[in-house]
Amino acid sequence: MPTHQTNGRSGRASVAARPFQLRGRFITAVGLRLEAESLDEAFYAVLDEQLRSAPQLLLDAPMLLDLAKVPGLTDTHQVRALVEALRARNLQVFGVENATDPQRRMAEELGLIPVLIGRDAPVEKVGADRRRKADKLLPPDNVVMTRPIRSGQVIVAERGDLTVIGSVSSGAELIASGNIHVYGTLRGRAFAGAYGDETARIFCQRQEAELLAIAGIYRTSESLGDDMRDQCLQVFLKDDGLKLEAVT
């Protein structure tokens, strides 16, 4: 490891210079939940149709394979073919979630990372209680942005709500552990309840979003409905689905 020599009153001292830094990163990944173990031509036909309908959302997107509904899918050759097919479509598969023990071993054999994420992560009660107690010791860290959010910007509120006084451009991302409030037009992507808070909500003065998500449940612009465009609304979870409701 490289060192630097310094001179002081006590003579020479050796100061180690670290060759790297460990820094936290918040990465937005798309989860591909497999609904059946049969990965046939019909599966890829539906996938290609989805890619055509939302090309900007999925192009070069980091992707997880969600195996919650296919616990019997343990054929290494079949999953390797799926991963290769997804990557050939510019989908960057890097891991699996909701995997059984055999599936985790299969994933590691394929170079995929078993990930515990959001509300799908099984957490022991003692660990969860300890985390909640630790969180209570930290003050809320709400974030307020008083300017418009430009395309390409990612604004994160890791421990609280995120409020934007202004509009959000297409290609921008808002991420909050709590609620998201936009006093302007929301054209980008908004991820509320990012750490699994299903009570979180999204509020915006005018909805033209590319994607809205709460606790990992999301809808894209194609499925939001024309009747909800240009509306002042709130977004929340109900019956395990994302609901949009006009605010009058």
Side-chain angles (χ1 to χ4, degrees):
M1 181 178 293
T3 60
H4 301 290
Q5 302 296 328
T6 60
N7 292 317
R9 293 181 181 178
S10 59
R12 301 176 66 188
S14 177
V15 180
R18 295 181 182 275
F20 59 84
Q21 290 182 336
L22 296 178
R23 310 188 71 177
R25 287 292 182 268
F26 199 117
I27 300 176
T28 303
V30 175
L32 179 65
R33 172 165 287 185
L34 302 178
E35 301 287 342
E37 296 176 10
S38 177
L39 304 176
D40 52 16
E41 292 183 4
F43 170 86
Y44 289 106
V46 174
L47 174 64
D48 288 335
E49 177 60 30
Q50 178 66 51
L51 291 174
R52 284 191 292 270
S53 66
Q56 297 306 314
L57 171 64
L58 298 175
L59 181 63
D60 293 326
M63 176 170 282
L64 288 166
L65 298 180
D66 186 341
L67 306 178
K69 293 191 175 182
V70 289
L73 182 59
T74 56
D75 185 330
T76 302
H77 299 293
Q78 189 177 18
V79 176
R80 178 181 286 111
L82 171 63
V83 172
E84 291 174 352
L86 293 172
R87 289 175 176 169
R89 291 166 169 80
N90 295 317
L91 299 172
Q92 308 306 316
V93 184
F94 70 93
V96 299
E97 60 177 331
N98 298 318
T100 63
D101 287 339
Q103 287 175 330
R104 280 192 287 271
R105 290 191 291 269
M106 173 188 67
E108 291 169 353
E109 182 180 341
L110 295 173
L112 301 175
I113 305 170
V115 175
L116 299 180
I117 187 169
R119 67 181 189 182
D120 293 326
V123 181
E124 293 184 3
K125 187 177 185 301
V126 173
D129 290 344
R130 186 180 298 118
R131 184 182 300 108
R132 282 194 291 269
K133 290 178 181 178
D135 288 344
K136 290 179 180 178
L137 298 177
L138 297 172
D141 188 18
N142 299 321
V143 175
V144 178
M145 304 298 295
T146 58
R147 64 180 185 276
I149 308 303
R150 300 187 304 274
S151 178
Q153 285 189 291
V154 179
I155 309 299
V156 181
E158 293 197 46
R159 203 171 64 252
D161 293 355
L162 171 58
T163 301
V164 177
I165 304 174
S167 295
V168 179
S169 297
S170 176
E173 288 190 0
L174 306 180
I175 302 170
S177 63
N179 304 308
I180 292 177
H181 306 259
V182 177
Y183 295 98
T185 302
L186 172 57
R187 295 189 179 92
R189 308 177 189 180
F191 302 82
Y195 295 120
D197 182 1
E198 298 181 5
T199 67
R201 297 194 175 210
I202 299 171
F203 304 87
C204 66
Q205 195 169 23
R206 184 180 180 187
Q207 191 279 123
E208 296 182 11
E210 298 168 356
L211 180 146
L212 299 172
I214 296 176
I217 305 298
Y218 72 89
R219 288 170 63 179
T220 64
S221 58
E222 291 78 14
S223 63
L224 292 175
D226 291 338
D227 59 326
M228 289 289 105
R229 290 185 63 83
D230 300 326
Q231 296 286 328
C232 177
L233 53 75
Q234 63 171 326
V235 185
F236 54 94
L237 285 183
K238 184 178 180 180
D239 300 328
D240 205 32
L242 205 66
K243 307 299 181 183
L244 283 69
E245 183 178 280
V247 176
T248 58

